[in-house]
Amino acid sequence: MELRTLRYFVTVAEELHFGRAASRLHMSQPPLSRAIQRLEGEVGAPLFDRSPAGVALTSVGTVLLDEARALLDQADRVRVRVAAAAGTAGITVGILGDATDTGATRLAAAYRREHPDADIRIRDTDLTDPTCGLRAGSVDVALTRAPFDGTALAVRELRADPVGVVLRADDPLARRDHLRLADLADRRWFQFPPGSDPAWQAYWNGGKPREGPVVRVVQECLQAVLWNGTIGIAPLGHDLPEHLAVVPLVDMAPSRVVLAWNEGDTNPLIRSFVRIATAVYRSTAS
Amino acid sequence: MELRTLRYFVTVAEELHFGRAASRLHMSQPPLSRAIQRLEGEVGAPLFDRSPAGVALTSVGTVLLDEARALLDQADRVRVRVAAAAGTAGITVGILGDATDTGATRLAAAYRREHPDADIRIRDTDLTDPTCGLRAGSVDVALTRAPFDGTALAVRELRADPVGVVLRADDPLARRDHLRLADLADRRWFQFPPGSDPAWQAYWNGGKPREGPVVRVVQECLQAVLWNGTIGIAPLGHDLPEHLAVVPLVDMAPSRVVLAWNEGDTNPLIRSFVRIATAVYRSTAS
DNA sequence: CTGTGACGATACCCGCCGGGTATCGGGAGC
DNA sequence: GCTCCCGATACCCGGCGGGTATCGTCACAG
């Protein structure tokens, strides 16, 4: 009953699907099936009911799921504490310009409480790079928004925000109580600087290539709305200057707030951070 | 940082000697050294100071030792709880005739408290077989006394009792406040039945082959003292009938109360039982 | 009723890692 | 200086954890 096996088990128990669990674990399905079979042999009882309708936890599996999660969490804490003793405990968190919100502050507090002796370095980044410098290694974990190229990154979704169109308050469309992308077809959209993540650009452009002035950061984006009359897309719920208005966009996919980190990173604080964040955001009424 | 590696680490930390730790782990020394080196690489700091004077824990090692012990204990509890859920939790404890004492009752209570839903089957055995039927499989763990042939058994010492000579109260030696083996050279000693463990017989005979009536159990042993005038050896601190006296034997090795179990046994309750017993006996003022 | 797709299990292969033995190196002590 | 002790290193081997290909079974569509 090694920790690795338990991680496999927990993943399968969460997915209730061997194939998906295997891909989450970056392995193929057969070895995962075998590992679970071995674990069931060790435990002496089946952990899953494999019926054609799908995979379900047995009662023993339910017990093991709780226990295994607790054990794995404790194992993470062990790693963190030892790293703290070795003086190597600390992470750099990259935060996308507008991802800061009440969830982030609660996350910071909870993390501080659990790891009072580990360093936290915060790096605020602009909207140009949704990975906040993850790939360059300047950041260990990014609190950011999807979508972006996730190659070699692990991503955990925390929340999804509906989005709206930011308009000048005197724009005729500003009086509508909701809009569709088609309503904006003839507007000028801003452009991200060249080299920006294509998936990222595509999302904020409503899925199509658009034309318009090139902007770099949130503030410039808002300025562009004001001065250039472009369209701005933003998650709802943000305060805006009063001469700007935001109208819900009903046919655009919500903006997903996510955590991302480099897949192979062994810094134990990352896993811990992700766990805490998941719990905090789950308990935060969206 | 798998559990197996942590077990290795804890063993080395307890022994502070790679060779001894390796033999306790039933492996050779080089793979153990490598495993520890890998662990140190993972942690990012040395865990031991290897000086020619000996091996010592570093400060990081001390932290990891505490954490690893706690984690391994929890892992054991996980296994027990899952076994309980699977309905396969239970152990048979063999208790040597005279090993019952206050320690054993506290042990039973503590065990019951930690594993309320696991079966405990108790099997009282006579003094003939110090392993209480471990090898035959009729018992999972034996609360008994050393020494005995420990091949394929794991043994954990709990306590050492000084021993004394049991004599008829009217024996001239009974007035002495202590005795040596030499004082008993011309006495008749009882014999264990043929086939009894040689190390066991040798111990209770003071290290030499002796002659005398063959006895089987404690009661018969005391009867032999009374009726046959043999010598009896017994741990101090037991109540005896008033027509018998016990005089401390100052040059005989104390009798070690030990737990023993079959080395390869995977029943998770065994490890848990051993851990609880160790804690209980350590806190029991001998 | 049969073709097809989904999904977990099975069969089989390979590289690596966790075991082993033999030996080295260096410090302590007679 | 020789020897002993003890951890580290070198090197080898079998098994296990990974992989791919395929099967068996069930659900569903037509």
Side-chain angles (χ1 to χ4, degrees), chain A residues 1-5 7 42-45 47 59-60 63-64 67-68 70-71 74-75 77-79 81-83 85-86 88, chain B residues 1-5 7 42-45 47 59-60 63-64 67-68 70-71 74-75 77-79 81-83 85-86 88:
Chain A
M1 205 191 67
E2 290 300 305
L3 294 177
R4 177 161 30 102
T5 314
R7 281 189 234 280
E42 255 185 82
V43 167
L47 299 168
S59 61
V60 178
V63 171
L64 181 59
E67 298 286 341
L71 188 66
Q74 186 175 344
R77 280 191 292 272
V78 168
R79 298 187 62 200
R81 287 186 195 140
V82 172
T88 58
Chain B
M1 205 192 67
E2 290 300 304
L3 293 177
R4 176 160 30 100
T5 314
R7 281 190 235 281
E42 255 185 82
V43 167
L47 298 168
S59 61
V60 178
V63 171
L64 182 58
E67 297 287 339
L71 188 66
Q74 188 176 343
R77 280 192 291 272
V78 168
R79 297 188 61 198
R81 290 191 194 135
V82 172
T88 58

Tab-separated table of all heavy atoms in Angstrom, chain A residues 1-5 7 42-45 47 59-60 63-64 67-68 70-71 74-75 77-79 81-83 85-86 88, chain B residues 1-5 7 42-45 47 59-60 63-64 67-68 70-71 74-75 77-79 81-83 85-86 88:
chain	number	residue	atom	x	y	z
A	1	MET	N	0.839	-1.193	0.000
A	1	MET	CA	0.000	0.000	0.000
A	1	MET	C	0.871	1.239	0.000
A	1	MET	O	0.969	1.930	0.993
A	1	MET	CB	-0.900	-0.001	1.231
A	1	MET	CG	-2.168	0.788	1.068
A	1	MET	SD	-3.011	1.017	2.629
A	1	MET	CE	-1.879	2.089	3.525
A	2	GLU	N	1.503	1.482	-1.112
A	2	GLU	CA	2.375	2.647	-1.205
A	2	GLU	C	1.570	3.894	-1.557
A	2	GLU	O	0.444	3.794	-2.041
A	2	GLU	CB	3.467	2.411	-2.251
A	2	GLU	CG	4.492	1.368	-1.816
A	2	GLU	CD	5.218	1.777	-0.536
A	2	GLU	OE1	5.788	2.880	-0.521
A	2	GLU	OE2	5.197	1.023	0.430
A	3	LEU	N	2.171	5.033	-1.314
A	3	LEU	CA	1.450	6.280	-1.552
A	3	LEU	C	1.071	6.435	-3.026
A	3	LEU	O	-0.028	6.906	-3.333
A	3	LEU	CB	2.312	7.468	-1.111
A	3	LEU	CG	2.581	7.527	0.396
A	3	LEU	CD1	3.498	8.685	0.737
A	3	LEU	CD2	1.267	7.665	1.156
A	4	ARG	N	1.975	6.020	-3.900
A	4	ARG	CA	1.658	6.156	-5.322
A	4	ARG	C	0.375	5.411	-5.661
A	4	ARG	O	-0.517	5.945	-6.320
A	4	ARG	CB	2.827	5.619	-6.163
A	4	ARG	CG	2.561	5.655	-7.648
A	4	ARG	CD	3.861	5.557	-8.414
A	4	ARG	NE	4.837	4.793	-7.648
A	4	ARG	CZ	5.150	3.533	-7.885
A	4	ARG	NH1	4.557	2.886	-8.859
A	4	ARG	NH2	6.054	2.924	-7.159
A	5	THR	N	0.280	4.191	-5.182
A	5	THR	CA	-0.921	3.407	-5.445
A	5	THR	C	-2.157	4.120	-4.915
A	5	THR	O	-3.208	4.138	-5.552
A	5	THR	CB	-0.782	2.032	-4.786
A	5	THR	OG1	0.510	1.513	-5.085
A	5	THR	CG2	-1.844	1.092	-5.284
A	7	ARG	N	-2.567	7.292	-4.557
A	7	ARG	CA	-2.895	8.407	-5.448
A	7	ARG	C	-3.673	7.887	-6.648
A	7	ARG	O	-4.642	8.509	-7.084
A	7	ARG	CB	-1.615	9.099	-5.925
A	7	ARG	CG	-1.026	10.038	-4.905
A	7	ARG	CD	0.118	10.869	-5.513
A	7	ARG	NE	1.336	10.758	-4.743
A	7	ARG	CZ	1.581	11.420	-3.627
A	7	ARG	NH1	0.676	12.245	-3.163
A	7	ARG	NH2	2.705	11.259	-2.975
A	42	GLU	N	-4.513	-6.521	-1.956
A	42	GLU	CA	-3.920	-6.209	-0.652
A	42	GLU	C	-4.998	-5.980	0.400
A	42	GLU	O	-4.902	-6.460	1.526
A	42	GLU	CB	-3.087	-4.931	-0.772
A	42	GLU	CG	-1.607	-5.133	-0.790
A	42	GLU	CD	-0.923	-3.782	-0.798
A	42	GLU	OE1	-0.781	-3.201	0.298
A	42	GLU	OE2	-0.518	-3.305	-1.885
A	43	VAL	N	-6.000	-5.204	0.009
A	43	VAL	CA	-7.061	-4.880	0.948
A	43	VAL	C	-7.899	-6.119	1.248
A	43	VAL	O	-8.418	-6.281	2.348
A	43	VAL	CB	-7.939	-3.747	0.367
A	43	VAL	CG1	-9.217	-3.594	1.153
A	43	VAL	CG2	-7.161	-2.452	0.351
A	44	GLY	N	-8.012	-6.980	0.249
A	44	GLY	CA	-8.780	-8.200	0.458
A	44	GLY	C	-10.251	-8.038	0.109
A	44	GLY	O	-11.053	-8.888	0.454
A	45	ALA	N	-10.570	-6.947	-0.547
A	45	ALA	CA	-11.964	-6.732	-0.932
A	45	ALA	C	-11.977	-5.822	-2.151
A	45	ALA	O	-11.080	-4.996	-2.322
A	45	ALA	CB	-12.745	-6.088	0.216
A	47	LEU	N	-12.711	-2.680	-4.418
A	47	LEU	CA	-12.891	-1.270	-4.101
A	47	LEU	C	-13.892	-0.612	-5.049
A	47	LEU	O	-14.466	0.417	-4.711
A	47	LEU	CB	-11.540	-0.551	-4.184
A	47	LEU	CG	-10.494	-1.075	-3.208
A	47	LEU	CD1	-9.107	-0.531	-3.544
A	47	LEU	CD2	-10.875	-0.694	-1.786
A	59	SER	N	-18.480	-0.077	-0.621
A	59	SER	CA	-18.450	0.546	0.706
A	59	SER	C	-17.024	0.567	1.241
A	59	SER	O	-16.584	1.556	1.837
A	59	SER	CB	-19.376	-0.212	1.656
A	59	SER	OG	-18.928	-1.547	1.782
A	60	VAL	N	-16.299	-0.508	1.003
A	60	VAL	CA	-14.896	-0.504	1.422
A	60	VAL	C	-14.136	0.587	0.688
A	60	VAL	O	-13.315	1.304	1.270
A	60	VAL	CB	-14.250	-1.878	1.152
A	60	VAL	CG1	-12.787	-1.863	1.538
A	60	VAL	CG2	-14.988	-2.969	1.915
A	63	VAL	N	-14.623	3.931	2.308
A	63	VAL	CA	-13.786	4.097	3.500
A	63	VAL	C	-12.355	4.414	3.089
A	63	VAL	O	-11.733	5.361	3.587
A	63	VAL	CB	-13.830	2.810	4.361
A	63	VAL	CG1	-12.798	2.890	5.475
A	63	VAL	CG2	-15.219	2.604	4.917
A	64	LEU	N	-11.844	3.629	2.150
A	64	LEU	CA	-10.455	3.850	1.752
A	64	LEU	C	-10.277	5.230	1.132
A	64	LEU	O	-9.239	5.867	1.330
A	64	LEU	CB	-9.996	2.764	0.771
A	64	LEU	CG	-8.538	2.911	0.333
A	64	LEU	CD1	-7.603	2.874	1.528
A	64	LEU	CD2	-8.142	1.843	-0.669
A	67	GLU	N	-9.821	7.715	3.907
A	67	GLU	CA	-8.563	7.475	4.610
A	67	GLU	C	-7.370	7.829	3.736
A	67	GLU	O	-6.397	8.429	4.197
A	67	GLU	CB	-8.481	5.998	5.016
A	67	GLU	CG	-9.576	5.558	5.973
A	67	GLU	CD	-9.343	6.090	7.375
A	67	GLU	OE1	-8.206	6.465	7.689
A	67	GLU	OE2	-10.313	6.140	8.156
A	68	ALA	N	-7.461	7.444	2.478
A	68	ALA	CA	-6.330	7.679	1.583
A	68	ALA	C	-6.133	9.169	1.365
A	68	ALA	O	-5.002	9.659	1.358
A	68	ALA	CB	-6.564	6.972	0.245
A	70	ALA	N	-6.840	11.556	3.424
A	70	ALA	CA	-6.236	12.113	4.638
A	70	ALA	C	-4.756	11.757	4.683
A	70	ALA	O	-3.902	12.590	5.024
A	70	ALA	CB	-6.959	11.589	5.879
A	71	LEU	N	-4.450	10.518	4.328
A	71	LEU	CA	-3.056	10.093	4.396
A	71	LEU	C	-2.206	10.858	3.390
A	71	LEU	O	-1.099	11.312	3.713
A	71	LEU	CB	-2.967	8.589	4.134
A	71	LEU	CG	-1.590	7.975	4.362
A	71	LEU	CD1	-1.218	8.034	5.828
A	71	LEU	CD2	-1.548	6.538	3.863
A	74	GLN	N	-1.608	14.279	4.577
A	74	GLN	CA	-0.589	14.330	5.626
A	74	GLN	C	0.799	14.144	5.026
A	74	GLN	O	1.758	14.795	5.436
A	74	GLN	CB	-0.846	13.263	6.694
A	74	GLN	CG	0.130	13.415	7.854
A	74	GLN	CD	-0.156	12.460	8.994
A	74	GLN	OE1	-1.231	11.880	9.074
A	74	GLN	NE2	0.813	12.301	9.876
A	75	ALA	N	0.889	13.273	4.023
A	75	ALA	CA	2.185	13.081	3.375
A	75	ALA	C	2.667	14.388	2.763
A	75	ALA	O	3.855	14.732	2.863
A	75	ALA	CB	2.084	11.993	2.311
A	77	ARG	N	1.922	17.352	3.841
A	77	ARG	CA	2.346	18.220	4.942
A	77	ARG	C	3.725	17.819	5.442
A	77	ARG	O	4.543	18.666	5.786
A	77	ARG	CB	1.331	18.176	6.078
A	77	ARG	CG	0.116	19.050	5.811
A	77	ARG	CD	-0.722	19.193	7.074
A	77	ARG	NE	-1.339	17.935	7.447
A	77	ARG	CZ	-2.522	17.519	6.995
A	77	ARG	NH1	-3.197	18.273	6.157
A	77	ARG	NH2	-3.016	16.374	7.379
A	78	VAL	N	3.963	16.515	5.485
A	78	VAL	CA	5.290	16.059	5.908
A	78	VAL	C	6.352	16.661	5.006
A	78	VAL	O	7.342	17.225	5.477
A	78	VAL	CB	5.371	14.516	5.868
A	78	VAL	CG1	6.817	14.059	6.008
A	78	VAL	CG2	4.522	13.913	6.970
A	79	ARG	N	6.121	16.570	3.714
A	79	ARG	CA	7.114	17.091	2.782
A	79	ARG	C	7.327	18.577	3.004
A	79	ARG	O	8.446	19.071	2.980
A	79	ARG	CB	6.674	16.833	1.346
A	79	ARG	CG	6.551	15.356	1.031
A	79	ARG	CD	6.288	15.139	-0.430
A	79	ARG	NE	7.388	15.632	-1.240
A	79	ARG	CZ	7.295	15.926	-2.532
A	79	ARG	NH1	6.153	15.779	-3.136
A	79	ARG	NH2	8.330	16.367	-3.190
A	81	ARG	N	6.811	20.310	5.773
A	81	ARG	CA	7.492	20.595	7.031
A	81	ARG	C	8.971	20.281	6.944
A	81	ARG	O	9.812	21.000	7.473
A	81	ARG	CB	6.862	19.791	8.163
A	81	ARG	CG	5.503	20.351	8.523
A	81	ARG	CD	4.912	19.689	9.731
A	81	ARG	NE	3.488	20.019	9.781
A	81	ARG	CZ	2.538	19.167	10.131
A	81	ARG	NH1	2.863	17.929	10.477
A	81	ARG	NH2	1.292	19.544	10.157
A	82	VAL	N	9.269	19.191	6.275
A	82	VAL	CA	10.678	18.843	6.140
A	82	VAL	C	11.382	19.886	5.284
A	82	VAL	O	12.503	20.300	5.591
A	82	VAL	CB	10.823	17.427	5.555
A	82	VAL	CG1	12.260	17.137	5.236
A	82	VAL	CG2	10.285	16.409	6.534
A	83	ALA	N	10.707	20.325	4.227
A	83	ALA	CA	11.311	21.352	3.394
A	83	ALA	C	11.517	22.628	4.196
A	83	ALA	O	12.530	23.313	4.052
A	83	ALA	CB	10.436	21.629	2.175
A	85	ALA	N	12.087	22.752	7.364
A	85	ALA	CA	13.241	22.515	8.237
A	85	ALA	C	14.536	22.633	7.443
A	85	ALA	O	15.562	23.079	7.963
A	85	ALA	CB	13.135	21.141	8.888
A	86	ALA	N	14.478	22.239	6.183
A	86	ALA	CA	15.677	22.305	5.362
A	86	ALA	C	15.879	23.715	4.803
A	86	ALA	O	16.862	23.986	4.139
A	86	ALA	CB	15.586	21.292	4.218
A	88	THR	N	14.119	25.106	2.563
A	88	THR	CA	13.845	25.174	1.131
A	88	THR	C	12.366	25.329	0.841
A	88	THR	O	11.935	25.095	-0.283
A	88	THR	CB	14.360	23.918	0.417
A	88	THR	OG1	13.728	22.778	1.020
A	88	THR	CG2	15.856	23.790	0.557
B	1	MET	N	8.957	9.912	-2.274
B	1	MET	CA	8.845	9.711	-0.819
B	1	MET	C	7.781	8.665	-0.547
B	1	MET	O	6.701	8.980	-0.072
B	1	MET	CB	8.477	11.026	-0.145
B	1	MET	CG	8.900	11.127	1.287
B	1	MET	SD	8.149	12.530	2.097
B	1	MET	CE	6.420	12.087	2.114
B	2	GLU	N	8.086	7.449	-0.874
B	2	GLU	CA	7.119	6.380	-0.647
B	2	GLU	C	7.218	5.866	0.788
B	2	GLU	O	8.212	6.093	1.481
B	2	GLU	CB	7.354	5.234	-1.635
B	2	GLU	CG	6.981	5.597	-3.063
B	2	GLU	CD	5.506	5.977	-3.194
B	2	GLU	OE1	4.659	5.158	-2.814
B	2	GLU	OE2	5.211	7.082	-3.655
B	3	LEU	N	6.181	5.186	1.202
B	3	LEU	CA	6.135	4.713	2.584
B	3	LEU	C	7.291	3.751	2.874
B	3	LEU	O	7.870	3.786	3.958
B	3	LEU	CB	4.800	4.023	2.854
B	3	LEU	CG	3.595	4.961	2.807
B	3	LEU	CD1	2.311	4.172	3.022
B	3	LEU	CD2	3.716	6.037	3.867
B	4	ARG	N	7.600	2.899	1.901
B	4	ARG	CA	8.692	1.950	2.146
B	4	ARG	C	9.978	2.698	2.482
B	4	ARG	O	10.663	2.376	3.447
B	4	ARG	CB	8.894	1.076	0.900
B	4	ARG	CG	10.057	0.129	1.021
B	4	ARG	CD	9.925	-0.997	0.030
B	4	ARG	NE	9.220	-0.544	-1.167
B	4	ARG	CZ	9.806	-0.198	-2.298
B	4	ARG	NH1	11.115	-0.260	-2.393
B	4	ARG	NH2	9.096	0.194	-3.317
B	5	THR	N	10.277	3.711	1.697
B	5	THR	CA	11.482	4.484	1.946
B	5	THR	C	11.457	5.097	3.349
B	5	THR	O	12.480	5.122	4.040
B	5	THR	CB	11.602	5.595	0.893
B	5	THR	OG1	11.350	5.045	-0.387
B	5	THR	CG2	12.978	6.220	0.936
B	7	ARG	N	9.945	3.934	5.929
B	7	ARG	CA	10.209	2.875	6.908
B	7	ARG	C	11.715	2.637	7.010
B	7	ARG	O	12.256	2.455	8.106
B	7	ARG	CB	9.512	1.579	6.495
B	7	ARG	CG	8.037	1.559	6.825
B	7	ARG	CD	7.453	0.162	6.620
B	7	ARG	NE	6.302	0.185	5.719
B	7	ARG	CZ	5.083	0.556	6.079
B	7	ARG	NH1	4.866	0.921	7.309
B	7	ARG	NH2	4.092	0.561	5.219
B	42	GLU	N	15.703	13.783	-2.505
B	42	GLU	CA	14.330	14.282	-2.607
B	42	GLU	C	14.091	15.427	-1.646
B	42	GLU	O	13.486	16.442	-1.985
B	42	GLU	CB	13.361	13.151	-2.256
B	42	GLU	CG	12.657	12.554	-3.434
B	42	GLU	CD	11.639	11.543	-2.951
B	42	GLU	OE1	10.542	11.939	-2.572
B	42	GLU	OE2	11.979	10.331	-2.916
B	43	VAL	N	14.544	15.219	-0.407
B	43	VAL	CA	14.326	16.233	0.620
B	43	VAL	C	15.161	17.471	0.318
B	43	VAL	O	14.761	18.587	0.624
B	43	VAL	CB	14.678	15.651	2.005
B	43	VAL	CG1	14.773	16.741	3.039
B	43	VAL	CG2	13.653	14.607	2.399
B	44	GLY	N	16.317	17.260	-0.290
B	44	GLY	CA	17.164	18.389	-0.606
B	44	GLY	C	18.134	18.744	0.496
B	44	GLY	O	18.745	19.814	0.469
B	45	ALA	N	18.253	17.864	1.462
B	45	ALA	CA	19.180	18.132	2.563
B	45	ALA	C	19.601	16.798	3.156
B	45	ALA	O	18.845	15.825	3.104
B	45	ALA	CB	18.512	18.990	3.634
B	47	LEU	N	20.106	13.903	5.772
B	47	LEU	CA	19.317	13.497	6.928
B	47	LEU	C	20.210	12.949	8.035
B	47	LEU	O	19.809	12.941	9.198
B	47	LEU	CB	18.306	12.423	6.507
B	47	LEU	CG	17.297	12.894	5.452
B	47	LEU	CD1	16.526	11.728	4.869
B	47	LEU	CD2	16.331	13.902	6.077
B	59	SER	N	19.405	18.015	11.873
B	59	SER	CA	18.188	18.637	12.390
B	59	SER	C	17.022	18.344	11.446
B	59	SER	O	15.901	18.066	11.887
B	59	SER	CB	18.395	20.143	12.547
B	59	SER	OG	18.692	20.712	11.287
B	60	VAL	N	17.285	18.370	10.154
B	60	VAL	CA	16.231	18.015	9.205
B	60	VAL	C	15.812	16.571	9.422
B	60	VAL	O	14.630	16.238	9.395
B	60	VAL	CB	16.720	18.231	7.753
B	60	VAL	CG1	15.644	17.814	6.772
B	60	VAL	CG2	17.111	19.669	7.528
B	63	VAL	N	13.386	16.260	12.264
B	63	VAL	CA	12.026	16.644	11.865
B	63	VAL	C	11.383	15.515	11.079
B	63	VAL	O	10.252	15.099	11.364
B	63	VAL	CB	12.073	17.932	11.018
B	63	VAL	CG1	10.701	18.226	10.419
B	63	VAL	CG2	12.552	19.105	11.860
B	64	LEU	N	12.117	14.989	10.113
B	64	LEU	CA	11.533	13.940	9.281
B	64	LEU	C	11.210	12.704	10.112
B	64	LEU	O	10.201	12.038	9.868
B	64	LEU	CB	12.467	13.567	8.128
B	64	LEU	CG	11.904	12.494	7.187
B	64	LEU	CD1	10.578	12.925	6.584
B	64	LEU	CD2	12.886	12.131	6.090
B	67	GLU	N	7.875	13.242	11.731
B	67	GLU	CA	6.818	13.281	10.721
B	67	GLU	C	6.606	11.905	10.104
B	67	GLU	O	5.470	11.480	9.884
B	67	GLU	CB	7.197	14.288	9.631
B	67	GLU	CG	7.327	15.720	10.120
B	67	GLU	CD	5.974	16.331	10.428
B	67	GLU	OE1	4.970	15.828	9.910
B	67	GLU	OE2	5.934	17.300	11.203
B	68	ALA	N	7.700	11.233	9.826
B	68	ALA	CA	7.589	9.934	9.161
B	68	ALA	C	6.922	8.927	10.085
B	68	ALA	O	6.082	8.139	9.660
B	68	ALA	CB	8.970	9.446	8.738
B	70	ALA	N	4.764	9.539	12.399
B	70	ALA	CA	3.332	9.845	12.445
B	70	ALA	C	2.656	9.365	11.165
B	70	ALA	O	1.565	8.783	11.206
B	70	ALA	CB	3.121	11.348	12.636
B	71	LEU	N	3.305	9.593	10.052
B	71	LEU	CA	2.703	9.201	8.778
B	71	LEU	C	2.570	7.688	8.698
B	71	LEU	O	1.534	7.166	8.272
B	71	LEU	CB	3.551	9.725	7.618
B	71	LEU	CG	2.938	9.540	6.237
B	71	LEU	CD1	1.677	10.384	6.085
B	71	LEU	CD2	3.930	9.879	5.143
B	74	GLN	N	-0.211	6.523	10.797
B	74	GLN	CA	-1.512	6.754	10.186
B	74	GLN	C	-1.760	5.762	9.053
B	74	GLN	O	-2.883	5.274	8.883
B	74	GLN	CB	-1.623	8.190	9.663
B	74	GLN	CG	-3.059	8.475	9.206
B	74	GLN	CD	-3.259	9.899	8.761
B	74	GLN	OE1	-2.447	10.779	9.061
B	74	GLN	NE2	-4.339	10.158	8.040
B	75	ALA	N	-0.712	5.448	8.321
B	75	ALA	CA	-0.870	4.467	7.248
B	75	ALA	C	-1.335	3.133	7.832
B	75	ALA	O	-2.199	2.463	7.262
B	75	ALA	CB	0.441	4.303	6.488
B	77	ARG	N	-3.065	2.762	10.530
B	77	ARG	CA	-4.470	2.902	10.927
B	77	ARG	C	-5.382	2.820	9.709
B	77	ARG	O	-6.466	2.246	9.773
B	77	ARG	CB	-4.675	4.231	11.654
B	77	ARG	CG	-4.226	4.181	13.111
B	77	ARG	CD	-4.705	5.411	13.863
B	77	ARG	NE	-4.013	6.600	13.413
B	77	ARG	CZ	-2.861	7.021	13.916
B	77	ARG	NH1	-2.276	6.353	14.892
B	77	ARG	NH2	-2.290	8.112	13.455
B	78	VAL	N	-4.919	3.387	8.610
B	78	VAL	CA	-5.715	3.289	7.389
B	78	VAL	C	-5.946	1.833	7.049
B	78	VAL	O	-7.078	1.405	6.788
B	78	VAL	CB	-5.002	4.008	6.219
B	78	VAL	CG1	-5.676	3.659	4.891
B	78	VAL	CG2	-5.007	5.508	6.437
B	79	ARG	N	-4.886	1.069	7.066
B	79	ARG	CA	-5.023	-0.336	6.697
B	79	ARG	C	-6.000	-1.038	7.642
B	79	ARG	O	-6.814	-1.846	7.215
B	79	ARG	CB	-3.670	-1.027	6.744
B	79	ARG	CG	-2.681	-0.446	5.749
B	79	ARG	CD	-1.426	-1.281	5.703
B	79	ARG	NE	-1.698	-2.645	5.287
B	79	ARG	CZ	-0.877	-3.660	5.474
B	79	ARG	NH1	0.260	-3.471	6.100
B	79	ARG	NH2	-1.198	-4.863	5.058
B	81	ARG	N	-8.450	0.309	9.398
B	81	ARG	CA	-9.837	0.747	9.200
B	81	ARG	C	-10.421	0.139	7.945
B	81	ARG	O	-11.588	-0.255	7.919
B	81	ARG	CB	-9.892	2.272	9.110
B	81	ARG	CG	-9.601	2.892	10.461
B	81	ARG	CD	-9.896	4.369	10.500
B	81	ARG	NE	-9.277	4.927	11.712
B	81	ARG	CZ	-8.586	6.043	11.754
B	81	ARG	NH1	-8.416	6.751	10.658
B	81	ARG	NH2	-8.072	6.463	12.884
B	82	VAL	N	-9.605	0.068	6.924
B	82	VAL	CA	-10.115	-0.520	5.693
B	82	VAL	C	-10.381	-2.005	5.908
B	82	VAL	O	-11.402	-2.537	5.450
B	82	VAL	CB	-9.124	-0.289	4.537
B	82	VAL	CG1	-9.554	-1.054	3.305
B	82	VAL	CG2	-9.020	1.187	4.237
B	83	ALA	N	-9.494	-2.651	6.631
B	83	ALA	CA	-9.713	-4.072	6.913
B	83	ALA	C	-10.990	-4.245	7.726
B	83	ALA	O	-11.759	-5.181	7.512
B	83	ALA	CB	-8.518	-4.655	7.646
B	85	ALA	N	-13.567	-2.302	7.597
B	85	ALA	CA	-14.682	-2.110	6.677
B	85	ALA	C	-14.891	-3.349	5.820
B	85	ALA	O	-16.012	-3.685	5.454
B	85	ALA	CB	-14.425	-0.888	5.787
B	86	ALA	N	-13.797	-4.033	5.512
B	86	ALA	CA	-13.907	-5.235	4.684
B	86	ALA	C	-14.291	-6.447	5.523
B	86	ALA	O	-14.491	-7.528	4.998
B	86	ALA	CB	-12.588	-5.488	3.956
B	88	THR	N	-12.419	-7.937	7.624
B	88	THR	CA	-11.313	-8.880	7.778
B	88	THR	C	-10.367	-8.470	8.904
B	88	THR	O	-9.236	-8.920	8.955
B	88	THR	CB	-10.509	-8.974	6.472
B	88	THR	OG1	-10.040	-7.664	6.143
B	88	THR	CG2	-11.348	-9.520	5.355
